[in-house]
């Protein structure tokens, strides 16, 4: 497993936990424990994604940080084995 | 994966409900050249589109079509909100109402539910991109026809925006077709491409 794909796997796990908390909050919008977890997890995911994009390439169409190259079309797509 | 962005791509604010307009505009939700078919066409074609630039165009136009599906949904919702049964009957929306009430159900103006038979995924770049170019033109004509039938400026404004996007998408698919053709064997005059699919016998 490459460094990029190991990092991406960590982001997938943390992002999933954040999404799961958000789904739960839709039905429990005043739950203090869930809100505290959401805030903490959101910051963690944000930092990880920023670090990934600055070193490995964009995660969204707005995350291309290379001023000389549109990496959006040159890095592997999520459905390719190389990206996983 | 996708993340939902909690805004419309372009605002929709319709003061006067009008079920007769909703009855025709619904075709851009679930009709043969509607936004649902467009999103499904590009997002399913992208896997085998071979070149990063072309995959990017299919991915990002397909994603934008989902935003257009939402704009059409917003237009239909606002056009049918708070209508009385008499108003629904007078506009000829009663046949839709009996099955769906004021719910937003992807169907054509003639009431045919949306169908993946509206799209093509051939797994061949030249075939798929030509389908996409045609699809954008057909959607543009449908918006032209809606503009011929709708007078309310509140409705025309977002419809004009969506019509303009069809033209831009046609240009982007033109880029994609040029990129694909530039990478074909230069001795191939006929826009089929043995190098994409070796061993097909041609």
């Amino acid at each position: 497993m490459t460094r990029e794909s190991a990092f991406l796997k960590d982001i997938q796990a943390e992002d999933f936990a954040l999404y799961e908390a958000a789904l739960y909050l839709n039905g429990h919008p005043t739950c203090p424990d869930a809100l505290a977890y959401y805030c903490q997890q959101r910051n963690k995911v944000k930092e990880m994604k920023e670090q990934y994009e600055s070193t490995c390439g964009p995660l969204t169409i707005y995350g291309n940080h290379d001023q000389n190259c549109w990496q959006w079309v040159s890095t592997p797509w999520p459905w390719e084995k190389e990206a996983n | 994966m996708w993340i939902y962005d909690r805004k419309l791509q372009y605002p929709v604010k319709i003061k006067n409900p009008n079920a007769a307009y909703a009855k025709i505009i619904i075709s851009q939700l679930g009709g043969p050249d509607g936004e649902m078919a467009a999103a499904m066409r590009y997002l399913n074609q992208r896997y085998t589109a071979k070149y990063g630039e072309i995959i990017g165009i299919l991915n990002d136009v397909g994603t934008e079509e989902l935003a257009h599906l939402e704009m059409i949904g917003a237009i239909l919702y606002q056009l049918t909100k708070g209508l009385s049964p008499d108003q629904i009957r007078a506009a000829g929306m009663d046949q839709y109402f009996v099955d769906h009430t004021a719910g937003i159900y992807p169907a054509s103006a003639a009431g045919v539910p949306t169908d993946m038979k509206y799209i093509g995924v051939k797994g061949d770049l030249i075939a798929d991109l030509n389908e996409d170019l045609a699809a954008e033109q057909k959607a543009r004509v449908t918006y032209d026809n809606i503009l011929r039938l709708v007078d309310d400026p509140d409705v025309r404004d977002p419809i004009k925006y969506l019509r303009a996007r069809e033209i831009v998408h046609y240009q982007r698919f033109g880029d994609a077709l040029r990129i694909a053709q530039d990478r074909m064997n230069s001795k191939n005059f006929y826009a089929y491409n043995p190098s994409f699919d070796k061993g097909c016998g041609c």
Side-chain angles (χ1 to χ4, degrees), chain A residues 12 15-16 19 49 59-62 70 72-75 77-80, chain B residues 1-5 7 46-48 51-57 59-60:
Chain A
Q12 283 172 315
D15 205 23
F16 171 70
Y19 205 87
K49 285 183 174 176
L59 286 166
T60 76
I61 201 170
Y62 304 123
W70 184 240
W72 185 244
V73 298
S74 60
T75 46
W77 293 94
W79 52 89
E80 292 172 320
Chain B
M1 72 173 288
W2 273 264
I3 303 168
Y4 180 66
D5 210 345
K7 66 178 189 331
R46 73 196 161 130
Y47 300 98
T48 53
Y51 299 121
E53 296 91 329
I54 298 174
I55 293 171
I57 290 167
N59 188 77
D60 302 333

Side-chain angles (χ1 to χ4, degrees), chain A residues 11-71:
Chain A
I11 291 175
Q12 283 172 315
E14 299 297 340
D15 205 23
F16 171 70
L18 175 62
Y19 205 87
E20 192 75 324
L23 279 189
Y24 175 82
L25 276 163
N26 282 336
H28 306 80
T30 58
C31 173
D33 288 350
L35 283 166
Y37 178 81
Y38 168 82
C39 288
Q40 175 205 326
Q41 190 66 10
R42 182 186 54 192
N43 292 337
K44 187 175 181 179
V45 168
K46 187 168 174 272
E47 274 176 33
M48 289 173 85
K49 285 183 174 176
E50 280 169 3
Q51 200 189 333
Y52 181 93
E53 286 190 328
S54 63
T55 55
C56 305
L59 286 166
T60 76
I61 201 170
Y62 304 123
N64 200 101
H65 295 306
D66 186 336
Q67 295 197 358
N68 301 308
C69 175
W70 184 240
Q71 291 182 309

Side-chain angles (χ1 to χ4, degrees), chain B:
Chain B
M1 72 173 288
W2 273 264
I3 303 168
Y4 180 66
D5 210 345
R6 198 186 162 114
K7 66 178 189 331
L8 293 181
Q9 194 186 21
Y10 184 90
V12 174
K13 202 170 181 65
I14 298 167
K15 286 185 284 293
N16 301 313
N18 186 321
Y21 288 166
K23 257 193 81 183
I24 56 171
I25 293 171
I26 197 170
S27 247
Q28 280 306 82
L29 190 77
D33 306 311
E35 303 291 356
M36 173 83 85
M40 292 304 105
R41 180 181 298 111
Y42 309 143
L43 293 177
N44 286 292
Q45 285 179 355
R46 73 196 161 130
Y47 300 98
T48 53
K50 194 170 171 79
Y51 299 121
E53 296 91 329
I54 298 174
I55 293 171
I57 290 167
L58 287 165
N59 188 77
D60 302 333
V61 173
T63 297
E64 189 182 343
E65 305 296 8
L66 292 172
H68 296 172
L69 189 73
E70 182 183 42
M71 280 181 64
I72 294 292
I75 291 169
L76 296 173
Y77 168 71
Q78 292 181 22
L79 281 173
T80 55
K81 197 175 179 198
L83 292 173
S84 69
D86 282 345
Q87 287 171 308
I88 284 167
R89 203 181 291 112
M93 197 196 156
D94 47 345
Q95 290 176 7
Y96 179 92
F97 177 84
V98 73
D99 286 331
H100 307 294
T101 326
I104 308 299
Y105 179 71
S108 73
V112 180
T114 197
D115 196 325
M116 286 308 115
K117 288 174 183 165
Y118 296 152
I119 75 165
V121 180
K122 199 68 184 171
D124 176 283
L125 264 187
I126 304 297
D128 282 344
L129 289 172
N130 275 288
E131 148 124 2
D132 302 342
L133 286 157
E136 294 295 334
Q137 287 301 318
K138 288 190 278 185
R140 192 265 307 157
V141 174
T142 309
Y143 283 123
D144 280 342
N145 290 341
I146 290 169
L147 290 168
R148 289 183 177 105
L149 297 168
V150 169
D151 293 327
D152 183 348
D154 288 354
V155 184
R156 291 176 64 86
D157 184 51
I159 293 292
K160 282 181 190 169
Y161 172 86
L162 291 166
R163 178 189 177 279
R165 297 309 296 160
E166 305 300 340
I167 293 166
V168 171
H169 290 172
Y170 180 78
Q171 290 170 329
R172 296 289 77 78
F173 284 127
D175 292 342
L177 185 61
R178 176 181 50 74
I179 289 166
Q181 286 178 329
D182 283 352
R183 292 176 190 180
M184 294 194 310
N185 183 332
S186 61
K187 290 179 187 159
N188 177 359
F189 304 118
Y190 300 108
Y192 73 89
N193 190 7
S195 71
F196 289 161
D197 186 16
K198 290 189 177 65
C200 67
C202 35

